[in-house]
Structures are given as C-alpha cells and as structure tokens.
Amino acid sequence: ISAPSKAGKTWLAIRMFYSLATGTPWLGMGCRRCTALYVNLEVSGAMFARRCEAVRAASGIECEECEGAFVMNARGCGLTASGLAQCVIEEFGDGLGAIFIDPLYMIEEGDENSVSDVKPMLSELDRLMTECGCSLVAVHHQPKGASGGKASIDRMAGSGAFARWPDAL
C-alpha cells in the first residue's frame, strides 16, 4: 500500500488486517480467516491501539472475533528486516497467514534509493514469507511533491525495486 503522507494508508491496512483475522469482507471482497500480525513501527503503541479500536468498532467487529489478530508495537526498537524476520519466525512459525509492516522504511538499512541496499531487506522479507507461509502487506510512503504525473508503479519513495518486488500495488 503506497500513498502520500496522511492519505489513510494505515487506516486502510488496519481494516484489511481485521478482515483477514476475522474472515470478514474487505472493500467488498471476501477474506479467508487467518492469523494476522500487524507490525506497527510508526506510532506509539497507545496511539496504534486507539486506531485499531476505532477501526474495529466502526467495522462492527466484536472483540471476541479478533483472536487471530496480533499486534507487535516496535516503534523505537531499531528492528532490521533480518531481526524482524527472525523474531516473527520464532514466534509464529508457519502459523501465520498474513503480516503487515507499517511503514516499510523503518526496517531499511542503507540508502532506500539504492537497489543494492534495498535488496537484502526484500530478501529477508521473502525469507519471512517463505518460512511462515504467509502473505505480506507493506505500507510504504511516497516522496513529497507532486507524483500525479507519474505512473502508479513509479510513485513509491526510493529504489525502483520497491515497485518491481510486490505481487500487487
């Protein structure tokens, strides 16, 4: 999920997170229920909990339905893609259906504009998905300024690898 600052990326991702964890529709599409993990790297745990509660309540999802929804608040932890992958693999193994990383740049090491710097992070995320047998939803920012004239694949901040790596944008 990529969009400009303050466009609602996190809110959209949280709704998808609950849809997958509860098996309820997302944007009118059916979702198969699975264990879902949301890795919050951007806002405080308290703020993220308030956002989650607002989305859950507005969606009409009862707390009891959310047993498959897990949150890892890791803002300020200095996680790298490798560290995150290892932590999630050890905690969930192959029992995870989906993982959300918000925002992706927080687990980058090096220059996000360099394919050679971005590639190790993407390789670790591939390892995470393979070992857990899960899907990954990444929330990624777009650079400041007007991107309207660019093709959607070219709007994400950083290396073009960010646009070529995902299965869907």
Side-chain angles (χ1 to χ4, degrees):
I1 298 173
S2 175
S5 295
K6 309 303 177 205
K9 298 178 296 292
T10 296
W11 296 96
L12 181 69
I14 291 170
R15 183 61 184 98
M16 183 193 294
F17 167 69
Y18 277 120
S19 290
L20 291 171
T22 62
T24 55
W26 180 71
L27 299 179
M29 295 176 278
C31 293
R32 184 172 11 164
R33 187 177 195 154
C34 68
T35 300
L37 171 66
Y38 203 110
V39 181
N40 163 42
L41 296 159
E42 189 162 47
V43 298
S44 72
M47 180 181 283
F48 191 74
R50 285 191 299 273
R51 288 180 178 189
C52 285
E53 178 56 21
V55 171
R56 186 202 57 74
S59 302
I61 297 171
E62 299 295 329
C63 289
E64 302 79 42
E65 297 177 77
C66 300
E67 61 194 28
F70 296 89
V71 172
M72 176 191 292
N73 287 305
R75 179 181 176 170
C77 293
L79 280 176
T80 62
S82 177
L84 175 62
Q86 198 56 44
C87 179
V88 172
I89 291 165
E90 288 173 7
E91 181 70 25
F92 291 93
D94 63 0
L96 192 60
I99 182 170
F100 291 73
I101 299 175
D102 183 7
L104 193 57
Y105 79 87
M106 292 299 291
I107 59 169
E108 291 175 13
E109 294 180 87
D111 180 3
E112 79 170 3
N113 295 302
S114 166
V115 174
S116 60
D117 284 355
V118 170
K119 187 177 175 185
M121 177 187 69
L122 299 180
S123 294
E124 281 299 309
L125 296 177
D126 279 333
R127 179 175 77 90
L128 170 62
M129 290 184 291
T130 300
E131 292 197 28
C132 288
C134 68
S135 296
L136 179 126
V137 176
V139 177
H140 190 57
H141 293 100
Q142 292 178 350
K144 305 275 191 250
S147 293
K150 295 180 182 178
S152 60
I153 197 166
D154 296 323
R155 291 182 187 158
M156 291 186 286
S159 167
F162 287 116
R164 291 185 297 275
W165 177 69
D167 293 326
L169 293 173

